[in-house]
Amino acid sequence: MDSSCGLTDNRVSPPNSLHVSPPGGGGGVGSSHRKRRTLVAPEMNLSLDQSEGSLLSDDFLDTPDDLDINVDDIDTPDETDSLEFITNGNDLEWEDDTPVASAKAGPGGGSGAPTEDGNANTGRLWRTVIIGEQEHRIDMQIIKPYLRVITHGGYYGEGLNAIIVFSACYLPDSSCPDYHYIMENLFLYVVSSLEMLVAEDYLIIYMNGATPRSKMPGISWLKKCYQMIDRRLRKNLKSLVIAHPTWFIRTVLAISRPFISVKFMNKIRYVHSLDELAEIVPMEHVHVPECVMQYDEERIKARRERMEQERRQQEQQSVPQGPIKSSVRPKSMIVEQ
């Protein structure tokens, strides 16, 4: 061994070379003819950083080829093993540090009271829809009392020609709080419902009877509704039947002519009673609100009374009267006087 293996300052110095005896050499340590071969050991850095030569360097941390891990062979938890909340299939989304339910179920679910400012609240039910290749979120909780505004009335003719009933009497009153917020969400609900209910050609029945002026939708709301309806829905609309039209709805349609196409205006028809409506479409599955039925009965009753009164007036005018006495005195009497 080299003299460097000796003791120096009472500390043992690590060897930096290895002496190897040649093959076939003698076993005597003191042989003068023995040749020594020196192997130099590589320098090793015992520090814990990742510098070159360190134990934590990439040279010492290389992963062997036989330890490669195949991700496809790893068992992953199945969908049925995941924790699911029993909330009618609604997914929880986070908005403003508050859990909000994203509605993928029907409009009948959800809980929680709406706030006056329309902000999300715990338990608020939302539905995500895509209209015109753009994603929208509908606050289903705030429009829950008005969902009957649009219903499916069955089919007519041959094929899947749907009958869509729009009952204006179920619209919110313009004096209610958050009216614009409600109408905004109700508008998205109506347009998205049309896309789900309509498969081929369809017909819309607009129940205008028994609807006060305060519930009539504004021109801007109708214009936005018309503009966001898909081109396929506009093309497949065969007729827009307005039941019990008033001068107000006629005026609204007249003002709306600049942004409504001529083809769409030609599809509008007016009917003044439910009997007249039954001559156009089958009424077996058409939901007619109770207030509209009462309104129709009152109009029929008033029309009969008016017709009866006109008939009596015509009878009185047709009765022959006696000779009318002339107040002009004879000419002879005038001359004598």
Side-chain angles (χ1 to χ4, degrees), residues 289-299:
E290 186 67 25
C291 58
V292 175
M293 297 180 65
Q294 295 179 0
Y295 178 83
D296 186 72
E297 293 176 357
E298 293 175 358
R299 284 177 60 90

Side-chain angles (χ1 to χ4, degrees), residues 33-108:
H33 63 278
R34 182 180 302 171
K35 296 182 180 179
R36 296 180 179 180
R37 185 176 300 174
T38 303
L39 298 179
V40 181
E43 296 182 359
M44 181 178 296
N45 186 4
L46 298 180
S47 61
L48 297 180
D49 56 359
Q50 293 188 356
S51 60
E52 184 178 359
S54 173
L55 292 175
L56 299 181
S57 62
D58 295 337
D59 297 335
F60 292 92
L61 296 180
D62 288 342
T63 303
D65 296 337
D66 56 351
L67 293 181
D68 289 343
I69 299 175
N70 190 359
V71 181
D72 297 334
D73 296 336
I74 300 178
D75 293 335
T76 57
D78 191 57
E79 294 180 356
T80 57
D81 299 334
S82 60
L83 181 61
E84 295 181 356
F85 294 95
I86 306 176
T87 53
N88 296 330
N90 297 332
D91 296 336
L92 291 180
E93 297 180 359
W94 291 85
E95 179 174 322
D96 299 332
D97 296 333
T98 305
V100 180
S102 176
K104 293 183 177 62

Side-chain angles (χ1 to χ4, degrees), residues 88-90 103-110 125-127 140 144 147 189 196:
N88 296 330
N90 297 332
K104 293 183 177 62
L125 184 63
W126 298 86
R127 170 183 290 180
M140 299 299 296
K144 188 176 181 180
L147 295 181
Y189 174 76
M196 291 188 298

Side-chain angles (χ1 to χ4, degrees), residues 233-252:
L233 295 176
R234 296 187 198 177
K235 182 179 179 180
N236 293 348
L237 177 63
K238 296 305 177 183
S239 180
L240 172 60
V241 182
I242 301 178
H244 305 122
T246 58
W247 66 268
F248 179 78
I249 195 67
R250 291 177 183 268
T251 304
V252 169

Side-chain angles (χ1 to χ4, degrees), residues 1-17:
M1 301 295 292
D2 191 66
S3 61
S4 60
C5 294
L7 296 178
T8 305
D9 297 335
N10 296 327
R11 290 181 299 179
V12 179
S13 301
N16 56 5
S17 63

Side-chain angles (χ1 to χ4, degrees), residues 7-272:
L7 296 178
T8 305
D9 297 335
N10 296 327
R11 290 181 299 179
V12 179
S13 301
N16 56 5
S17 63
L18 179 64
H19 303 288
V20 181
S21 299
V29 179
S31 301
S32 59
H33 63 278
R34 182 180 302 171
K35 296 182 180 179
R36 296 180 179 180
R37 185 176 300 174
T38 303
L39 298 179
V40 181
E43 296 182 359
M44 181 178 296
N45 186 4
L46 298 180
S47 61
L48 297 180
D49 56 359
Q50 293 188 356
S51 60
E52 184 178 359
S54 173
L55 292 175
L56 299 181
S57 62
D58 295 337
D59 297 335
F60 292 92
L61 296 180
D62 288 342
T63 303
D65 296 337
D66 56 351
L67 293 181
D68 289 343
I69 299 175
N70 190 359
V71 181
D72 297 334
D73 296 336
I74 300 178
D75 293 335
T76 57
D78 191 57
E79 294 180 356
T80 57
D81 299 334
S82 60
L83 181 61
E84 295 181 356
F85 294 95
I86 306 176
T87 53
N88 296 330
N90 297 332
D91 296 336
L92 291 180
E93 297 180 359
W94 291 85
E95 179 174 322
D96 299 332
D97 296 333
T98 305
V100 180
S102 176
K104 293 183 177 62
S111 60
T115 56
E116 291 184 358
D117 56 354
N119 292 330
N121 194 6
T122 303
R124 179 65 63 86
L125 184 63
W126 298 86
R127 170 183 290 180
T128 302
V129 296
I130 298 178
I131 301 175
E133 299 181 357
Q134 186 176 359
E135 184 175 303
H136 300 271
R137 297 183 68 200
I138 305 176
D139 189 348
M140 299 299 296
Q141 183 68 28
I142 198 69
I143 66 173
K144 188 176 181 180
Y146 317 105
L147 295 181
R148 291 182 297 174
V149 70
I150 183 170
T151 56
H152 197 288
Y155 301 93
Y156 72 97
E158 298 179 356
L160 298 177
N161 301 322
I163 300 174
I164 307 299
V165 183
F166 187 94
S167 302
C169 60
Y170 292 133
L171 288 173
D173 195 282
S174 58
S175 61
C176 70
D178 301 326
Y179 173 76
H180 296 288
Y181 178 76
I182 295 174
M183 291 297 289
E184 180 72 19
N185 286 271
L186 193 59
F187 155 75
L188 296 175
Y189 174 76
V190 169
V191 176
S192 61
S193 298
L194 279 178
E195 296 183 354
M196 291 188 298
L197 296 176
V198 173
E200 297 178 0
D201 297 340
Y202 68 105
L203 175 147
I204 295 180
I205 301 176
Y206 184 88
M207 295 288 183
N208 186 67
T211 304
R213 284 281 305 276
S214 58
K215 291 188 176 182
M216 289 287 186
I219 299 178
S220 59
W221 191 85
L222 294 175
K223 178 181 178 180
K224 187 177 181 181
C225 229
Y226 174 80
Q227 291 177 344
M228 287 197 69
I229 290 179
D230 189 72
R231 183 179 179 274
R232 177 185 67 87
L233 295 176
R234 296 187 198 177
K235 182 179 179 180
N236 293 348
L237 177 63
K238 296 305 177 183
S239 180
L240 172 60
V241 182
I242 301 178
H244 305 122
T246 58
W247 66 268
F248 179 78
I249 195 67
R250 291 177 183 268
T251 304
V252 169
L253 291 175
I255 298 176
S256 305
R257 284 182 177 272
F259 61 85
I260 295 180
S261 64
V262 179
K263 293 182 179 180
F264 184 85
M265 295 298 296
N266 294 334
K267 297 177 182 179
I268 299 177
R269 299 180 60 179
Y270 299 100
V271 294
H272 299 84

